[in-house]
Amino acid sequence: MTQVICRKGVPARAAMLLATLVGSVLPLSAQAAELEVSDARVRVLPGDTPAAGYFQLDNNGARAVVLVGADSQAFGRVELHRSMSHEGMASMQAVDQIEVAAGGSIEFAPQGYHLMLMQPAGDIAVGDPVEITLRFEQRESLSVEFEAVPPTYL
């Protein structure tokens, strides 16, 4: 598994480039290098209320990638979700997978795709790092450090 540490506004590619320059401490694969995660944040709510994970996922590769799930030790369950509105009625549903076309990107944001983070394992404070592993079909998983942000953060 490749580990990429991202803070708000710092692309995963910069973290991978830095690791490569200092002697490649982490094993980086060409497949993982094709993916770029930026603006990774978890909007935390008080108590046992589910949190939401948002980020930008860019596929700089020549083939489509399919995100099939995510895991985190900070939460008992992580699901891919999509919020939408139809005829003035808002709804949210779990999705099995999300395809990102070659050279394409997708934004996980309020009112759209997001990670639904349920059953928090402990308290998460604003500013805390939250490690989430993104799982892909037929490619290596990607571990990303998200930043905990307040509920008012969009």
Side-chain angles (χ1 to χ4, degrees):
M1 176 185 350
T2 300
Q3 181 169 359
V4 178
I5 308 293
C6 292
R7 292 281 184 199
K8 183 179 180 308
V10 177
R13 185 183 304 170
M16 285 189 264
L17 177 62
L18 180 61
T20 301
L21 292 174
V22 267
S24 193
V25 174
L26 300 173
L28 300 176
S29 75
Q31 288 182 338
E34 295 172 350
L35 299 177
E36 182 177 332
V37 175
S38 58
D39 201 18
R41 63 211 185 275
V42 170
R43 196 158 66 174
V44 293
L45 297 169
D48 288 337
T49 308
Y54 304 119
F55 57 99
Q56 174 82 24
L57 177 61
D58 296 309
N59 177 11
N60 300 312
R63 296 186 349 196
V65 296
V66 180
L67 179 65
V68 295
D71 301 297
S72 176
Q73 290 186 355
F75 294 91
R77 206 165 87 215
V78 180
E79 295 180 359
L80 303 174
H81 277 215
R82 183 177 185 192
S83 296
M84 59 191 120
S85 183
H86 180 69
E87 297 179 2
M89 203 61 137
S91 66
M92 180 175 53
Q93 64 184 34
V95 294
D96 293 328
Q97 61 185 31
I98 301 168
E99 183 172 318
V100 183
S105 66
I106 189 163
E107 182 178 9
F108 285 67
Q111 310 306 312
Y113 288 111
H114 59 277
L115 298 177
M116 181 58 67
L117 305 158
M118 297 168 276
Q119 303 164 350
D123 291 335
I124 299 173
V126 170
D128 284 352
V130 178
E131 187 173 324
I132 298 174
T133 301
L134 304 177
R135 292 184 288 109
F136 297 91
E137 183 176 87
Q138 299 181 348
R139 57 186 323 114
E140 192 174 336
S141 295
L142 187 63
S143 183
V144 180
E145 188 174 283
F146 285 61
E147 180 182 358
V149 298
T152 54
Y153 186 94
L154 296 177

